[in-house]
């Protein structure tokens, strides 16, 4: 395509966004690079988790940067800046590129595929759907396991901590996730009359904020536990001692907080905050669409924790590893 039509160039200044663009991009960028800690949830099933978990996280981090960065760069080279969008940019770029095998691009930038170009478009569409399915499946595997372990440890109903004897999978949480996602899918189609584009940004914001809010407790816990439990053996170390821990904890917590605020209040500290709202929504409508579900989820979390009270009451003290003569205190 580049040989036939050339590419769109952009100078170094294009990589320096305005504050309005920066504050809008922070939540999405945070969401792109979160979740790398999920492999640790299966650490007890690894032969050498102390070695395997850090390398798994490092490899996945490098792979994610490349698999996000390269396609985005190619999209920016193919699509005119005015046609780049968060929802359909990838598909639009693919359609335009496939016109070299059959099809044409209208004056307004709309691509129409014919012949072999149309065939390639169908192949790309199937591959794109499979990529989304595999991505969602991988994510839900880690998330479900984490939820099941939480239930097993008393942070939720004990029934959520049941694992399949045959497969070793969190069977109850897996089924609950399937039922819940199916219900929400049906509701989404019914409430939007099949037109989800209007609600895409709203739902995406809610999905991301539920995760960024959880990290507001996860990241500071690193610092807190090093002070409250300094005697516990740590298989994973942060370089730089306590200075490194404070740097890592403060930086990650800051970005999680900024992403959360930017999600709950689009246009945070910009000259015209309402310009950052999704199309078709007033400020009050958008805030209600975010805060009401979050309050429901918080209430559900409280109920889950209350339901795990019996499990927590049955916990027994287990001697720490160093007290048993195993490992070194660090």
């Amino acid at each position: 395509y580049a040989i036939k039509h050339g590419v769109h160039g952009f100078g170094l200044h294009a990589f320096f966004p305005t504050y309005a663009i920066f504050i809008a991009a922070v939540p999405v960028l945070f969401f792109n690079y979160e979740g790398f800690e999920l492999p640790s949830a299966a650490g007890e099933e690894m032969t050498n988790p102390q070695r395997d978990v850090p390398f798994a996280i490092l490899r996945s981090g490098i792979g994610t940067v490349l698999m996000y960065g390269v396609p985005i760069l190619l999209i920016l080279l193919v699509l005119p800046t005015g046609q780049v969008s968060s929802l359909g940019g990838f598909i639009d770029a693919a359609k335009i590129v496939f016109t070299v095998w059959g099809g044409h691009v209208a004056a307004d930038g709309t691509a129409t595929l014919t012949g072999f170009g149309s065939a390639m478009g169908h192949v790309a569409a199937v591959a794109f759907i499979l990529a989304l399915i595999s991505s969602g499946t991988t994510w839900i595997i880690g998330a479900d396991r984490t939820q099941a372990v939480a239930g097993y440890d008393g942070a939720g109903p004990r029934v959520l901590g049941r694992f399949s004897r045959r497969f070793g999978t969190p069977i109850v949480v897996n089924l609950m996730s399937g039922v819940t996602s199916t219900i929400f899918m049906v509701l989404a189609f019914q409430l939007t009359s099949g037109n989800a584009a209007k609600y895409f940004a709203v739902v995406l914001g809610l999905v991301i904020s539920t995760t960024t809010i959880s990290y507001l407790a996860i990241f500071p816990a690193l610092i807190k536990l090093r002070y409250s439990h300094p005697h516990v053996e740590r298989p994973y170390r942060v370089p730089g001692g306590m200075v490194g821990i404070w740097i890592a904890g403060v930086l990650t917590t800051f970005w999680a907080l900024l992403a959360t605020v930017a999600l709950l209040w689009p246009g945070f500290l910009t000259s015209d905050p309402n310009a950052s709202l999704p199309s078709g929504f007033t400020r009050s409508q958008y805030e209600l669409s975010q805060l009401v579900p979050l309050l429901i989820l918080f209430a559900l979390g409280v109920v889950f924790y209350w339901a795990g009270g019996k499990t927590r009451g049955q916990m027994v003290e287990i001697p720490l590893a160093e007290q048993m003569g195993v490992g070194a205190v660090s």
Side-chain angles (χ1 to χ4, degrees), residues 35-281:
F36 291 117
E37 77 285 353
L38 281 178
S40 62
E44 76 277 5
E45 297 183 9
M46 299 180 183
T47 303
N48 189 348
Q50 188 172 4
R51 180 200 64 191
D52 295 340
V53 169
F55 277 104
I57 293 174
L58 178 63
R59 285 194 297 266
S60 61
I62 294 174
T64 298
V65 170
L66 293 176
M67 286 184 280
Y68 274 122
V70 173
I72 290 174
L73 175 62
L74 296 178
I75 289 172
L76 293 175
L77 290 173
V78 172
L79 283 181
T81 306
Q83 294 182 24
V84 176
S85 67
S86 60
L87 181 57
F90 180 81
I91 297 299
D92 292 338
K95 288 178 67 177
I96 291 176
V97 169
F98 291 149
T99 57
V100 297
W101 286 305
H104 65 276
V105 181
D108 62 354
T110 302
T112 301
L113 298 177
T114 59
F116 187 63
S118 178
M120 288 295 295
H122 283 83
V123 171
V126 172
F128 184 66
I129 292 172
L130 291 176
L132 292 178
I133 292 174
S134 63
S135 176
T137 302
T138 304
W139 189 291
I140 204 69
I141 287 174
D144 279 5
R145 185 175 184 83
T146 302
Q147 180 64 61
V149 172
Y152 188 86
D153 287 342
R158 182 61 180 83
V159 67
L160 298 181
R162 293 185 58 184
F163 287 77
S164 168
R165 291 182 179 273
R166 180 179 179 185
F167 300 108
T169 53
I171 186 67
V172 175
V173 180
N174 285 158
L175 293 173
M176 184 181 70
S177 296
V179 171
T180 303
S181 60
T182 301
I183 292 173
F184 274 89
M185 181 189 69
V186 173
L187 285 175
F189 277 107
Q190 292 296 322
L191 295 176
T192 64
S193 300
N195 180 20
K198 176 182 177 181
Y199 302 91
F200 176 80
V202 175
V203 175
L204 180 63
L206 180 62
V207 169
I208 299 177
S209 66
T210 56
T211 315
T212 59
I213 290 173
S214 68
Y215 282 104
L216 292 177
I218 294 173
F219 290 141
L222 168 67
I223 301 173
K224 186 265 183 187
L225 290 174
R226 287 301 171 93
Y227 284 104
S228 63
H229 293 72
H231 51 288
V232 176
E233 182 180 359
R234 306 292 181 182
Y236 311 116
R237 305 295 299 177
V238 175
M242 287 305 301
V243 174
I245 287 174
W246 270 98
I247 292 174
V250 170
L251 281 176
T252 50
T253 303
F254 166 76
W255 287 113
L257 178 60
L258 182 60
T260 301
V261 173
L263 285 166
L264 297 182
W265 191 269
F268 174 66
L269 293 183
T270 60
S271 58
D272 184 11
N274 290 338
S276 301
L277 292 172
S279 177
F281 282 86

Side-chain angles (χ1 to χ4, degrees), residues 3-17:
I3 292 173
K4 184 175 180 180
H5 298 287
V7 294
H8 298 277
F10 42 81
L12 185 61
H13 67 279
F15 291 91
F16 295 90

